[in-house]
Amino acid sequence: MNRLFLLIPAVGDVNAGQDIAYLKQLGEIDNEGVLSILRRIVQSMKLVAEEDFELLYDEKYFKGLLRNAKREMPQMENILVFFNDAVSIQQRGIGNTPFTINGMTVSGGLVNAFMESRLSGDSLLNKDALAKPQQPIEVRNIDSGQTSLIPLPCETAEVYLWFVENRTPQRQLDPNYRKHGKREKTGKGGVRISSITYSELQLEDFLKRAVVARKGLRELYFKDNSRDKIIIFWDENLERPSYHAMEIDADDAGEIQKIFRRGGRKLNERIEETSHLI
């Protein structure tokens, strides 16, 4: 499972200690400013909302941000629904290993949580909350040396493409699946079984970029605009995430209706939007 850590900027905290010295301190901020920050976080997750990940946040600074907002506003309540599944790093006890971040000694916080996990590619950092957003964060483990973390901005495409390359565990194509082969076949009751016209290498790339229908469902979708096809990947329900593929014409009304029933308008939007990202 992927672990995503969101950096929340400090707001109006004149007594902010060195543990957030590497974050932006926004000072006073109005309600619309708070809404803007939270909207960007929520929007950035749009294309991966159905993925398997654990979202973590810094409760201390999240609450500080919310103190500057009028909580009774409907827009605020709608946005905060997104954070229902997020876990506080304080509650989880994450972040007790000392590091230096951009030369500053830090004994708690989200960057520590990332480093403490000892895994590669398991963290999403909000670049917009950093004091130097155009530079990598230079992190030195006091015990074992230096690493550089390059945080992502809160942008939909950036988050999606990060998942494409760093999803844990990675999806695997099953090239030996025989039902959808290189020739069209006829299945039980005369049902047409489409042939596969893509190479294994192409399908592996499409599989990485395919979007989930809905959390907990077994199929993924990718649209190839160059040939106006939609490739559907089916999870074979094995111990490792292994998939076989079928392809349909993007204007096949019957098949498109099936896709709509699986994930509705939002799924169709994700399929279309990701088809233009490389």
Side-chain angles (χ1 to χ4, degrees):
M1 177 185 289
N2 302 279
R3 302 175 72 193
L4 308 186
F5 296 89
L6 299 177
L7 295 182
I8 306 296
V11 177
D13 188 354
V14 296
N15 297 315
Q18 65 179 14
D19 61 328
I20 60 162
Y22 57 95
L23 297 182
K24 281 184 180 177
Q25 296 186 47
L26 298 181
E28 295 303 321
I29 187 171
D30 60 19
N31 195 68
E32 190 55 42
V34 175
L35 282 170
S36 176
I37 291 170
L38 296 180
R39 281 196 195 105
R40 291 189 69 186
I41 292 174
V42 173
Q43 182 65 19
S44 73
M45 298 290 183
K46 174 185 175 184
L47 298 180
V48 299
E50 305 301 333
E51 292 270 5
D52 184 20
F53 64 82
E54 182 179 34
L55 182 65
L56 296 102
Y57 69 101
D58 191 318
E59 184 177 18
K60 174 181 177 182
Y61 298 111
F62 186 64
K63 287 181 175 179
L65 186 68
L66 293 183
R67 280 195 293 270
N68 289 267
K70 296 178 181 178
R71 295 290 298 280
E72 66 271 13
M73 292 183 63
Q75 306 101 301
M76 181 65 72
E77 295 304 320
N78 290 338
I79 287 175
L80 292 181
V81 169
F82 168 83
F83 290 92
N84 286 347
D85 295 329
V87 180
S88 163
I89 63 165
Q90 282 82 12
Q91 294 174 9
R92 287 283 299 274
I94 296 174
N96 298 314
T97 304
F99 290 88
T100 62
I101 302 174
N102 290 341
M104 181 75 68
T105 301
V106 176
S107 59
L110 291 173
V111 174
N112 286 6
F114 170 82
M115 298 299 295
E116 193 175 48
S117 71
R118 308 295 184 194
L119 298 175
S120 62
D122 72 340
S123 182
L124 172 69
L125 302 178
N126 172 11
K127 187 172 73 173
D128 301 297
L130 298 173
K132 297 180 179 180
Q134 301 307 319
Q135 299 179 19
I137 309 175
E138 294 183 0
V139 180
R140 183 181 295 277
N141 182 326
I142 291 176
D143 297 324
S144 60
Q146 183 169 320
T147 306
S148 289
L149 302 178
I150 301 178
L152 295 174
C154 274
E155 295 177 4
T156 306
E158 294 276 358
V159 175
Y160 165 75
L161 293 174
W162 180 89
F163 254 95
V164 166
E165 296 302 328
N166 297 286
R167 188 183 287 108
T168 304
Q170 282 285 354
R171 301 162 177 171
Q172 293 185 328
L173 180 71
D174 182 354
N176 298 315
Y177 188 81
R178 300 302 180 189
K179 186 174 182 180
H180 297 280
K182 295 296 182 181
R183 296 181 180 178
E184 185 173 302
K185 302 174 185 177
T186 301
K188 190 174 182 180
V191 175
R192 181 172 66 90
I193 299 175
S194 65
S195 59
I196 290 291
T197 61
Y198 291 94
S199 69
E200 184 177 329
L201 190 61
Q202 288 174 306
L203 290 174
E204 287 175 345
D205 179 53
F206 295 162
L207 178 58
K208 289 171 63 175
R209 297 159 62 190
V211 295
V212 183
R214 200 166 65 244
K215 192 170 289 186
L217 295 185
R218 293 177 55 197
E219 63 267 26
L220 313 170
Y221 301 91
F222 180 76
K223 183 179 179 182
D224 175 19
N225 288 317
S226 67
R227 291 173 53 185
D228 209 24
K229 297 275 190 180
I230 292 178
I231 299 87
I232 306 174
F233 296 94
W234 298 89
D235 184 355
E236 297 175 353
N237 204 26
L238 303 176
E239 184 175 343
R240 301 181 69 178
S242 181
Y243 294 81
H244 66 270
M246 64 175 286
E247 64 183 72
I248 61 172
D249 293 329
D251 60 357
D252 186 325
E255 293 292 344
I256 296 302
Q257 185 59 34
K258 291 179 185 178
I259 294 175
F260 184 84
R261 286 199 295 268
R262 300 302 274 172
R265 175 179 55 82
K266 289 184 177 180
L267 173 58
N268 284 336
E269 289 175 352
R270 291 200 305 277
I271 293 171
E272 188 63 39
E273 189 168 346
T274 55
S275 71
H276 298 285
L277 301 178
I278 299 176

